[in-house]
Amino acid sequence: QVQLVESGGGLVQPGGSLRLSCTASGSIFSIDTMHWFRQAPGKQREWVAEISSGGNTHYSDSVKGRFTISRDNVKNTVYLQMDSLKPEDTAVYYCNAVIAPSGSTRSYGYWGQGTQVTVSS
């Protein structure tokens, strides 16, 4: 069974930084693109950033220049370094990964359980 587990959320003041981590575990053959999404109270879940298996990155306009996505393919982990945080970044942050389980000929999308980020003074 494949699992994604996020960590690193918390309370931070405006202008501060946090680093989120998301680790995939279980019987994994390969991991393709990994994403971060977020969902603020009363809003739809929105895409934040993605990184391909080769390290190509893309960001939403709302976080470009402030957030940095990276990954460690040995540890099956994706990171989100969040700098210059704003109150509007407050949300539950979810990782998503396209993973081929061991023994499978297909890839599937998996979600983590989410980690809360609150930006407030």
Side-chain angles (χ1 to χ4, degrees):
Q1 187 74 2
V2 174
Q3 274 191 312
L4 295 178
V5 178
E6 299 106 333
S7 62
L11 173 64
V12 64
Q13 291 187 343
S17 298
L18 279 176
R19 188 194 196 206
L20 306 183
S21 300
C22 172
T23 299
S25 62
S27 298
I28 296 170
F29 175 69
S30 66
I31 303 177
D32 197 351
T33 304
M34 305 183 83
H35 304 258
W36 285 98
F37 288 76
R38 66 185 181 186
Q39 187 166 19
K43 294 188 177 182
Q44 289 188 330
R45 190 171 298 188
E46 67 169 344
W47 171 79
V48 174
E50 67 180 40
I51 184 166
S52 70
S53 57
N56 293 318
T57 60
H58 295 90
Y59 300 90
S60 69
D61 288 343
S62 61
V63 307
K64 197 175 297 182
R66 299 187 299 121
F67 291 9
T68 304
I69 189 170
S70 61
R71 65 190 284 172
D72 184 328
N73 290 331
V74 173
K75 296 181 178 179
N76 288 341
T77 299
V78 62
Y79 305 96
L80 187 67
Q81 176 67 40
M82 304 185 295
D83 298 317
S84 302
L85 282 161
K86 305 175 181 179
E88 51 263 44
D89 294 317
T90 296
V92 178
Y93 283 71
Y94 299 89
C95 69
N96 170 277
V98 179
I99 296 174
S102 297
S104 174
T105 58
R106 293 182 56 185
S107 296
Y108 303 89
Y110 293 86
W111 290 92
Q113 82 289 353
T115 185
Q116 176 70 47
V117 171
T118 302
V119 184
S120 175
S121 55

